[in-house]
Amino acid sequence: MTETTNTLRLTFLNSENKKSNLSFPDAAANLDKVAVKGAMDVISKEGVFEKEEVDLYKVPHSASYIERTVTTVFDDSKTTAGEQA
């Protein structure tokens, strides 16, 4: 069995000029640059995400879709201990 997931990862520079990420699993796959950049601009301007006096999402840096594929070789998780040989 193969399972593929998509995650939208938004990368910002924080107030210490280090990268901070926001990830959205199962985000819509058809978002364009204008929509994503606009949302990132709103997040950065609001300045509501702070940790230990560091603004985590100060400047939009980049956005990427991350596709992950997992192929199961076997899965005995549904087998109970009494059914195992």
Side-chain angles (χ1 to χ4, degrees):
M1 182 173 99
T2 301
E3 179 183 351
T4 301
T5 59
N6 275 316
T7 300
L8 176 61
R9 181 175 62 194
L10 308 180
T11 303
F12 296 82
L13 296 178
N14 67 22
S15 57
E16 294 180 338
N17 211 32
K18 295 179 182 177
K19 291 182 182 178
S20 293
N21 295 314
L22 277 177
S23 295
F24 298 92
D26 301 317
N30 59 350
L31 299 174
D32 64 10
K33 177 182 177 179
V34 173
V36 175
K37 179 77 165 74
M40 292 177 74
D41 287 340
V42 169
I43 291 168
S44 67
K45 287 177 185 173
E46 292 299 319
V48 296
F49 298 100
E50 188 175 292
K51 183 177 181 180
E52 297 175 4
E53 299 182 24
V54 175
D55 185 351
L56 298 176
Y57 309 116
K58 182 95 174 150
V59 179
H61 182 269
S62 63
S64 304
Y65 281 105
I66 309 299
E67 186 174 292
R68 179 175 177 246
T69 302
V70 176
T71 303
T72 303
V73 176
F74 76 93
D75 183 357
D76 285 343
S77 63
K78 294 182 182 178
T79 304
T80 62
E83 295 174 345
Q84 293 180 347

